């Protein structure tokens, strides 16, 4: 199944999901966004106009996905940048590969002024013409999302608030961003992060658990180990990337519903919780009315879930 709003950038169906120990990161200024004075002025203009309407918005550092590399056990090497086709790993059934994410730094302000800008199509064309990559001038902040499967075989969806910046009122899965600021430095410094790459990987995997806790109010102790299913591109925001996980939960859907309505730290970001059985989620497609209610990132995560069929830990 295809959907114009989303595409799969990477899936790991052969391994049915990657553990944290199979992922590493490479951080460098080389992986930051390209820019020039005119683009910086545009970003400032977009930010000023947006904050004047929504004064509660704040800027913050994010990790920028530049590209990735998969080292297969057979000594075959595959690499990919976000502008290329999806890397299909199904040709090998050996043990899991080592996935390397090449990351730079970006910010929420840069995201609004590039990926979410009215000039995004122009920036795509410029990036391709000037740097050989349609994403070169875009912020490309790496998001995270998760298919959370309950103890009684249900998948957790939430209804996004109309007050959130994107996809208001749509059905979504818990998600957010890994945060550079969580790594303990008073100021986010890429040079320091380069020396602490294992902590960045840990933040990538732990951030999705923190988002589930804050958005759904599920205790961390009830969540299993995150399995990385792959990455998707959201084409409603100029191909913004997101890493999508599968996480089992020991609690029943009734208990999770009870916890959700008590409210978590980010309860204001959603207005309802919806459960769909694992089997129904695996059958979801574009003909389903529910599919039309889903935001692009949720569609992408479901497509990965259907492709990877993650193993239970």
């Amino acid at each position: 199944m295809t959907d114009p709003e989303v595409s799969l950038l990477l899936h790991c169906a052969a391994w049915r999901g990657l553990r944290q120990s199979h992922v590493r990161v490479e951080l460098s200024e080389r992986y930051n966004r390209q820019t020039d004075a005119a683009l910086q002025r545009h970003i400032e203009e977009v930010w000023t106009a947006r904050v004047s309407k929504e004064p509660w918005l704040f800027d913050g550092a994010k990790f920028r996905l530049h590209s990735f590399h998969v080292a297969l056990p057979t000594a075959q090497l595959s690499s990919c940048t976000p502008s290329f086709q999806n890397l299909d790993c199904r040709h090998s059934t050996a043990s899991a590969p080592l996935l390397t994410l090449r990351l730079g730094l970006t910010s929420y302000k840069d995201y609004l002024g590039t990926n979410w800008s009215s000039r995004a199509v122009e920036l795509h064309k410029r990036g391709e013409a000037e740097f050989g990559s349609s994403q070169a001038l875009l912020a490309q902040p790496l998001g995270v999302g998760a298919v959370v499967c309950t103890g009684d075989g249900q998948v957790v969806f939430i209804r996004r608030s109309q007050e959130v910046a994107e996809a208001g009122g749509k059905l979504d899965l818990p998600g957010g961003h890994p945060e550079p600021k969580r790594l303990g430095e008073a100021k986010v410094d890429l040079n320091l992060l380069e020396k602490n790459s294992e902590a960045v990987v840990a933040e990538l995997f732990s951030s999705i658990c923190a988002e589930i806790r804050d958005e759904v109010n599920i205790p961390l102790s009830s969540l299993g180990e995150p399995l990385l299913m792959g990455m998707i591109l959201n084409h409603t925001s100029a191909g913004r990337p997101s890493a999508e996980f599968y996480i089992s939960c020991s609690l029943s859907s009734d208990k999770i519903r009870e916890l959700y309505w008590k409210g978590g730290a980010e309860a204001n970001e959603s207005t309802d919780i919806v459960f769909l059985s694992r089997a129904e989620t695996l059958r979801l497609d574009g003909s389903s009315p529910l599919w039309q209610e889903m935001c692009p990132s949720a569609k992408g995560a479901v497509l990965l879930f259907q492709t990877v069929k993650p193993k239970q830990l």
Side-chain angles (χ1 to χ4, degrees), residues 28-43 64-66 104-107 110-111 113-115 122-140:
S28 172
E29 290 184 355
R30 303 192 310 275
Y31 303 143
N32 288 352
R33 177 180 62 82
Q34 301 291 331
T35 192
D36 57 29
L39 179 52
Q40 288 305 114
R41 286 195 297 272
H42 173 67
I43 290 171
R64 179 182 188 269
L65 179 67
H66 173 273
L105 286 179
T106 187
S107 69
D110 284 2
Y111 167 68
T114 59
N115 288 70
E122 173 194 334
L123 293 175
H124 262 288
K125 293 178 180 177
R126 276 192 58 200
E128 188 65 49
E130 297 174 22
F131 303 100
S133 170
S134 59
Q135 278 78 31
L137 294 163
L138 302 178
Q140 296 297 89

Side-chain angles (χ1 to χ4, degrees), residues 33 37-55 57-59 107-123 137-139 165-166:
R33 177 180 62 82
L39 179 52
Q40 288 305 114
R41 286 195 297 272
H42 173 67
I43 290 171
E44 291 295 336
E45 290 167 2
V46 169
W47 180 251
T48 300
R50 188 69 178 264
V51 172
S52 69
K53 297 177 181 178
E54 302 170 68
L57 292 179
F58 63 93
D59 194 16
S107 69
Y108 185 60
K109 178 169 73 173
D110 284 2
Y111 167 68
L112 290 182
T114 59
N115 288 70
W116 202 240
S117 164
S118 59
R119 297 186 185 178
V121 173
E122 173 194 334
L123 293 175
L137 294 163
L138 302 178
E166 299 175 45

Side-chain angles (χ1 to χ4, degrees), residues 16 25-26 30 41 53-54 66 82 135 154 161-162 166 169 176 233 243 246 251 260 278 282 289 310:
R16 301 181 68 188
V25 299
E26 179 184 329
R30 303 192 310 275
R41 286 195 297 272
K53 297 177 181 178
E54 302 170 68
H66 173 273
Q135 278 78 31
Q154 302 291 306
S161 166
Q162 293 288 357
E166 299 175 45
L233 297 178
Y246 172 81
L251 303 178
Y260 172 82
R278 181 185 176 98
L282 287 169

Side-chain angles (χ1 to χ4, degrees), residues 50-230:
R50 188 69 178 264
V51 172
S52 69
K53 297 177 181 178
E54 302 170 68
W56 55 85
L57 292 179
F58 63 93
D59 194 16
K62 307 294 179 189
F63 291 108
R64 179 182 188 269
L65 179 67
H66 173 273
S67 54
F68 63 86
H69 172 88
V70 177
L72 297 171
T74 56
Q76 294 174 294
L77 300 181
S78 301
S79 61
C80 185
T81 62
S83 59
F84 291 174
Q85 293 289 330
N86 166 49
L87 173 62
D88 186 342
C89 298
R90 288 175 296 179
H91 61 278
S92 171
T93 57
S95 60
L98 183 65
L99 170 65
T100 300
L101 302 177
R102 300 183 182 117
L103 304 177
L105 286 179
T106 187
S107 69
Y108 185 60
K109 178 169 73 173
D110 284 2
Y111 167 68
L112 290 182
T114 59
N115 288 70
W116 202 240
S117 164
S118 59
R119 297 186 185 178
V121 173
E122 173 194 334
L123 293 175
H124 262 288
K125 293 178 180 177
R126 276 192 58 200
E128 188 65 49
E130 297 174 22
F131 303 100
S133 170
S134 59
Q135 278 78 31
L137 294 163
L138 302 178
Q140 296 297 89
L142 180 63
V144 292
V147 170
V148 179
C149 194
T150 70
D152 54 346
Q154 302 291 306
V155 174
V156 178
F157 291 83
I158 52 177
R159 178 80 63 183
R160 291 173 66 85
S161 166
Q162 293 288 357
E163 303 302 316
V164 296
E166 299 175 45
K170 293 280 190 178
L171 275 181
D172 201 0
L173 296 166
H177 299 87
E179 300 286 355
K181 68 181 181 182
R182 288 201 191 111
L183 298 180
E185 303 296 336
K187 180 181 179 182
V188 177
D189 185 324
L190 191 54
N191 291 323
L192 293 175
L193 291 176
E194 285 181 51
K195 301 173 184 176
N196 202 15
S197 61
E198 289 186 2
V200 177
V201 176
E203 167 61 17
L204 175 66
F205 277 73
S206 65
S207 65
I208 185 56
C209 294
E211 294 290 350
I212 295 166
R213 176 197 62 199
D214 294 345
E215 293 182 2
V216 190
N217 204 27
I218 297 175
L220 295 179
S221 59
S222 300
L223 297 175
E225 176 187 351
L227 284 177
L228 178 63
M229 298 188 293

